[in-house]
Amino acid sequence: MTDTRKPAHLAPKAAESPGLRPLYRQVKELLSRRIADRVWQPGELIPSEHQIAAELGVSQGTVRKALDEMTAERLLTRRQGRGTFVARHDEARILFQFFKLAPDDGVAVFPESELRRVTKAPADADERRALGLDPGQRVIRIARLRSLAGKPVISEYLSLPERLFPGLGEAVAVENNLYDLFASRFGITVAGARERVKAVLSSPEDAELLGLESGAPVLAIDRIATAIDGAPVEWRRSLCRTDECSYVNTLR
Amino acid sequence: MTDTRKPAHLAPKAAESPGLRPLYRQVKELLSRRIADRVWQPGELIPSEHQIAAELGVSQGTVRKALDEMTAERLLTRRQGRGTFVARHDEARILFQFFKLAPDDGVAVFPESELRRVTKAPADADERRALGLDPGQRVIRIARLRSLAGKPVISEYLSLPERLFPGLGEAVAVENNLYDLFASRFGITVAGARERVKAVLSSPEDAELLGLESGAPVLAIDRIATAIDGAPVEWRRSLCRTDECSYVNTLR
DNA sequence: CAGTGGTCTAGACCACGTC
DNA sequence: ACGTGGTCTAGACCACTGT
């Protein structure tokens, strides 16, 4: 702490502007930006509440409220006695936050993945709509087969904006945990997603991949994943056989 | 405030017991019990933070933290300038919290419901497992057909422990919003649920009800709903055609 | 032991809704 | 004007972690 300048980026409270935001939200957004901009990187220990409070010229309680909300949004993890860390996309987190398919008997595990294809092409209409792209922008298309306990369960198709993932293609072959790869190689932290689930009849190709008779019913999960700033960064369609597992959702 | 006795039900902090809980959690559980026991009823205005703090002999900040968590769990709703209210199961809340089926184009609406059957019988093995019942305990079975914009979309089968819902059967015919009925007639507040979703082939009966060819794929949603205290109070199985709507889930 | 996050307190002022 | 919840502060002590 040799440098204790007060940025005073924050409006103390009663600014005359009508669209007024609480101090702790300003703190939260300032700190979120540091994560999004990789000033603070995944897994890193960030300064203590005291230090941040002193740096920004606000009270520790205000910083705490900001950090609490960021922790609730899974941007941070806090450990009493140790400090506050930028959250990482480890498999345990993915499993809890993003992977909703669980076996009907037994405990959920992270699936294995077999890469089938990686291609690049101009985004089609569906991809442009899902990812908010302009005509002519290109996407990377990935097809892979995912298995639980050695049995193929998910045939998955992803579309990624090529602009956000320059040079992806080799790395995806070896990396099973894609969101961790997005963060470590491309600086893109997936913060949330919206899924639409339907029951459909499997295509002949997917049925064969999954070891089903052609025309068997499968779950179709359409996901649009978004980064910290809310921008869409991935569109994926997962076709799942659900004879021995289910899409599990807890409503609270 | 003529009565300012301090119950002192609360261990101030450093009780010698090892399984120690923070004060605000003790407050939260005490207040949650008042809702579960209907001392405070749905829609009712509860005392102000100040009054509760004085009654329990804790600071306002501690009460606030308890109320904040209860609000996050949708037990309460707070309105600045008005006060804090016990949450009600109005249709808007159900739609947001418990009804995940949304049309692919257009905005989500609460479905209409047509009652098909109400019967009572000893719980079968599946029902006993789902609802935690002992052999011999009875259930109420309800079958109904639910529609969006006049089109049948969900064929639904419910099993309810008869012990919890004495005399249910007539009321269910007129009431579309079941969880509101559970609360107002039987004092049971549904607080959460766990759903398992699969893709299956529809039975001939369900296909006919939903206007599908026999064997068309449908979404099967298995739900176990729990009350404030965590006890299972409802098991339902919903078979949904998803050609024009989807099961929508937001991951954060 | 020092440093961290976690809890708790007491009090101030603000924004909102009602009277 | 008054009472409500919402924000912000300052400081105390506790519980946990590493040295």
Side-chain angles (χ1 to χ4, degrees):
Chain A
M1 287 293 289
T2 57
D3 187 348
T4 321
R5 68 212 147 116
K6 261 196 207 175
H9 301 133
L10 315 174
K13 185 66 195 289
E16 71 291 346
S17 92
L20 180 62
R21 291 173 312 163
L23 235 195
Y24 72 90
R25 285 210 182 275
Q26 299 177 46
V27 172
K28 178 184 168 188
E29 282 169 31
L30 191 155
L31 301 183
S32 295
R33 181 162 303 275
R34 288 190 186 173
I35 296 176
D37 293 348
R38 320 219 97 214
V39 178
W40 292 339
Q41 303 208 1
E44 188 177 337
L45 174 68
I46 73 172
S48 73
E49 297 178 351
H50 246 101
Q51 290 169 344
I52 296 173
E55 182 205 347
L56 302 181
V58 302
S59 84
Q60 184 184 350
T62 299
V63 172
R64 166 172 291 273
K65 193 154 185 182
L67 296 182
D68 279 347
E69 286 202 354
M70 292 170 72
T71 301
E73 291 173 11
R74 299 188 175 85
L75 289 177
L76 299 173
T77 59
R78 320 185 76 178
R79 278 180 266 180
Q80 187 173 130
R82 305 255 336 256
T84 303
F85 299 79
V86 179
R88 298 199 330 108
H89 274 290
D90 55 23
E91 294 196 350
R93 176 184 171 187
I94 298 281
L95 205 54
F96 182 76
Q97 186 178 4
F98 290 108
F99 192 73
K100 295 296 181 184
L101 221 61
D104 291 333
D105 48 357
V107 69
V109 293
F110 200 80
E112 311 101 68
S113 182
E114 177 200 331
L115 186 64
R116 294 177 50 228
R117 280 195 307 270
V118 180
T119 59
K120 305 180 183 184
D124 65 27
D126 288 339
E127 290 166 328
R128 289 201 304 271
R129 188 170 31 73
L131 296 170
L133 301 177
D134 294 323
Q137 290 194 278
R138 296 174 66 83
V139 293
I140 302 167
R141 296 190 186 131
I142 299 170
R144 57 179 185 168
L145 184 63
R146 310 182 79 182
S147 303
L148 290 171
K151 283 197 250 179
V153 171
I154 310 171
S155 173
E156 196 161 79
Y157 302 87
L158 298 90
S159 298
L160 308 170
E162 190 175 28
R163 180 178 52 82
L164 297 179
F165 300 95
L168 183 138
E170 321 76 65
V172 79
V174 293
E175 181 56 81
N176 184 1
N177 182 343
L178 279 186
Y179 288 178
D180 191 42
L181 176 74
F182 291 178
S184 60
R185 268 280 300 267
F186 304 98
I188 290 174
T189 298
V190 173
R194 184 178 169 84
E195 298 192 326
R196 301 191 74 101
V197 183
K198 288 175 179 291
V200 303
L201 296 180
S202 56
S203 71
E205 184 183 5
D206 291 318
E208 187 182 347
L209 287 167
L210 297 173
L212 299 170
E213 310 129 39
S214 186
V218 293
L219 214 58
I221 307 172
D222 256 297
R223 170 190 295 181
I224 296 175
T226 50
I228 295 177
D229 61 4
V233 295
E234 177 203 77
W235 177 40
R236 71 166 71 183
R237 182 173 174 83
S238 306
L239 301 161
C240 317
R241 62 182 294 179
T242 56
D243 46 345
E244 292 179 354
C245 63
S246 313
Y247 183 93
V248 176
N249 192 20
T250 300
L251 315 179
R252 273 171 289 209
Chain B
M1 287 295 291
T2 58
D3 187 348
T4 321
R5 68 211 147 118
K6 262 198 208 173
H9 299 135
L10 315 174
K13 185 67 192 292
E16 70 292 346
S17 92
L20 179 63
R21 291 171 313 161
L23 236 194
Y24 73 88
R25 284 210 184 274
Q26 299 178 46
V27 172
K28 177 184 168 188
E29 281 168 32
L30 192 156
L31 301 182
S32 294
R33 181 162 304 275
R34 287 190 185 171
I35 296 176
D37 294 348
R38 321 218 95 218
V39 178
W40 292 338
Q41 305 208 0
E44 188 178 336
L45 175 68
I46 73 173
S48 72
E49 297 178 353
H50 242 102
Q51 289 170 346
I52 296 174
E55 182 206 347
L56 301 181
V58 301
S59 84
Q60 185 184 347
T62 300
V63 173
R64 166 173 290 274
K65 192 154 182 180
L67 296 182
D68 279 346
E69 285 201 356
M70 293 171 72
T71 301
E73 291 172 13
R74 299 190 175 84
L75 290 176
L76 300 173
T77 59
R78 319 185 78 180
R79 278 179 267 180
Q80 185 172 130
R82 304 258 333 256
T84 303
F85 300 79
V86 180
R88 299 198 330 108
H89 273 292
D90 55 22
E91 295 196 351
R93 176 183 171 187
I94 298 280
L95 205 54
F96 183 74
Q97 188 178 3
F98 290 108
F99 192 73
K100 294 297 180 183
L101 222 61
D104 291 333
D105 48 356
V107 70
V109 294
F110 200 78
E112 311 100 67
S113 181
E114 177 199 332
L115 186 65
R116 295 177 49 226
R117 283 196 306 271
V118 179
T119 60
K120 304 181 184 185
D124 64 27
D126 287 340
E127 289 166 329
R128 290 201 302 273
R129 188 171 30 74
L131 296 169
L133 300 178
D134 294 324
Q137 291 194 278
R138 296 173 65 82
V139 293
I140 303 167
R141 297 191 184 129
I142 299 170
R144 59 179 184 167
L145 185 63
R146 310 182 79 183
S147 303
L148 290 171
K151 283 197 247 178
V153 171
I154 309 172
S155 173
E156 195 161 78
Y157 302 87
L158 297 91
S159 299
L160 308 170
E162 190 175 29
R163 179 178 53 81
L164 297 178
F165 301 95
L168 182 139
E170 322 75 65
V172 79
V174 293
E175 181 56 78
N176 185 2
N177 182 344
L178 279 186
Y179 289 176
D180 192 42
L181 175 74
F182 292 176
S184 60
R185 269 279 299 269
F186 303 97
I188 291 174
T189 297
V190 173
R194 184 178 168 85
E195 297 192 327
R196 299 190 76 100
V197 182
K198 286 177 182 289
V200 303
L201 296 180
S202 56
S203 72
E205 184 183 6
D206 292 319
E208 186 182 346
L209 287 166
L210 297 174
L212 299 170
E213 309 129 38
S214 184
V218 292
L219 215 59
I221 307 171
D222 257 298
R223 171 190 294 182
I224 295 175
T226 50
I228 294 176
D229 61 5
V233 295
E234 175 203 80
W235 178 39
R236 71 165 72 182
R237 183 173 173 83
S238 305
L239 302 161
C240 318
R241 62 181 293 181
T242 55
D243 47 344
E244 292 180 354
C245 62
S246 314
Y247 183 94
V248 176
N249 192 21
T250 301
L251 315 179
R252 272 173 288 211

